[in-house]
Amino acid sequence: MVSEAHLPEYVTRLDSRETFTFACHSGVRCFTDCCRMLELALTPYDVLRLRKATGLTSRELLEHYIITEQDPGEPFPRFYLTMVDDGRASCVFVSPEGCTVYPHRPSACRAYPLGRAAVRTGNGTILEHFVIMKETHCRGFLEATQQTPLQYSIDQELTVYNTFNDAVVQILQHDAIRQGLIPARKDIELFTLALYDLDTFRQMLMEDKVELTILSQPEKNRLQEDEELLLFAIELLKRQLFGIF
Ligand code: SF4
Ligand code: SF4
């Protein structure tokens, strides 16, 4: 866990039962100001939902709307939503009326100004920690609504996102990764394919082109469901990377 001393001045820790005062709506003077100059990291479930919002395939999203980066020594690549070159580095999905993908907006957008860190313990359970980011431009803190992190998460429909994101944390924070395992190139390619390019992954599974598994027809039918496919991808990756299923 990050100690209080290492947090920026505008970030404070929040207990899950503590209340904070905040509301965001189209009437605030700063409406959409926070949709610019972002390093907006995307989870696999975020991409699954953006596919639904845009009607684009996962491959099209990866090619046109997502920047992939992997720093030397990092076990896995990171995936960021593109900002456009409009002088304000605006999110590719922001408009004067607000977020054009609002019902399917990414986890980080739903959570803001709350930050949630999911930490995998030794026995695989997930502990959550919250911070509140009180940035000076955000007028939402002048509103009267009070809520706890849990209430806010429910209001923002974050709970379902957390379920899928925490399943991926089982990979990102696995003991082997914490102990310094750097996956082989082919496993990193599988990570990108299975988690972030679901349409291509599904097509390859249907055509029996994923060497690691051959599926029965009922299993193939089940994996037509996006959420089932993502959970299957997570389990397949765990087996490939760590030998568990
Ligand atoms: S996805 Fe929507 S809410 Fe998130 S930064 Fe872009 S416009 Fe804003
Ligand atoms: S800066 Fe704060 S209040 Fe303004 S739109 Fe963003 S979240 Fe809402």
Side-chain angles (χ1 to χ4, degrees):
M1 261 177 71
V2 184
S3 78
E4 201 82 42
H6 293 116
L7 295 175
E9 208 177 316
Y10 63 89
V11 180
T12 46
R13 239 180 250 300
L14 200 67
D15 187 89
S16 61
R17 286 154 304 188
E18 255 180 281
T19 55
F20 63 101
T21 307
F22 173 84
C24 177
H25 52 83
S26 58
V28 291
R29 211 165 67 206
C30 51
F31 188 54
T32 75
D33 278 4
C34 52
C35 298
R36 301 164 210 283
M37 290 190 285
L38 297 173
E39 276 200 349
L40 208 170
L42 296 173
T43 68
Y45 188 67
D46 290 336
V47 176
L48 182 158
R49 294 289 295 259
L50 286 175
R51 284 164 60 251
K52 294 186 196 290
T54 59
L56 297 169
T57 65
S58 52
R59 178 61 62 87
E60 288 167 332
L61 278 168
L62 276 174
E63 285 179 358
H64 302 298
Y65 294 93
I66 296 173
I67 295 166
T68 307
E69 287 179 0
Q70 186 171 8
D71 292 335
E74 285 283 314
F76 300 110
R78 295 172 193 266
F79 301 82
Y80 296 97
L81 191 59
T82 305
M83 300 293 130
V84 296
D85 187 12
D86 62 351
R88 302 178 70 192
S90 302
C91 170
V92 71
F93 294 127
V94 74
S95 78
E97 292 73 41
C99 175
T100 58
V101 294
Y102 191 78
H104 298 286
R105 66 199 184 285
S107 321
C109 308
R110 286 171 192 270
Y112 186 83
L114 204 61
R116 174 183 182 266
V119 181
R120 181 183 184 272
T121 64
N123 65 11
T125 55
I126 299 284
L127 296 179
E128 55 181 10
H129 302 279
F130 296 100
V131 293
I132 190 92
M133 294 170 276
K134 209 166 179 176
E135 296 184 272
T136 49
H137 66 85
C138 178
R139 314 281 298 176
F141 292 100
L142 302 176
E143 302 283 316
T145 312
Q146 281 208 339
Q147 60 258 296
T148 63
L150 182 61
Q151 287 164 333
Y152 189 71
S153 301
I154 293 169
D155 288 350
Q156 298 299 317
E157 296 172 19
L158 252 174
T159 328
V160 62
Y161 282 71
N162 291 344
T163 302
F164 287 94
N165 295 346
D166 289 355
V168 178
V169 165
Q170 299 291 350
I171 297 174
L172 302 180
Q173 296 183 23
H174 190 274
D175 290 346
I177 297 296
R178 284 185 173 144
Q179 286 156 15
L181 173 75
I182 300 289
R185 172 59 44 196
K186 70 172 178 30
D187 291 341
I188 291 174
E189 285 168 6
L190 180 67
F191 178 92
T192 301
L193 170 72
L195 298 188
Y196 285 89
D197 191 359
L198 271 189
D199 296 306
T200 309
F201 181 56
R202 177 187 282 121
Q203 191 181 341
M204 291 176 67
L205 283 171
M206 297 305 130
E207 295 171 1
D208 298 327
K209 287 183 177 165
V210 177
E211 282 175 21
L212 307 167
T213 184
I214 299 292
L215 300 171
S216 65
Q217 194 54 50
E219 285 174 307
K220 288 180 180 177
N221 294 344
R222 182 173 65 84
L223 298 184
Q224 295 305 322
E225 188 73 36
D226 288 342
E227 283 77 4
E228 291 285 341
L229 181 61
L230 180 54
L231 292 175
F232 174 84
I234 293 167
E235 294 306 315
L236 185 76
L237 266 167
K238 278 160 61 180
R239 185 177 68 180
Q240 175 65 10
L241 289 165
F242 315 123
I244 54 175
F245 204 28

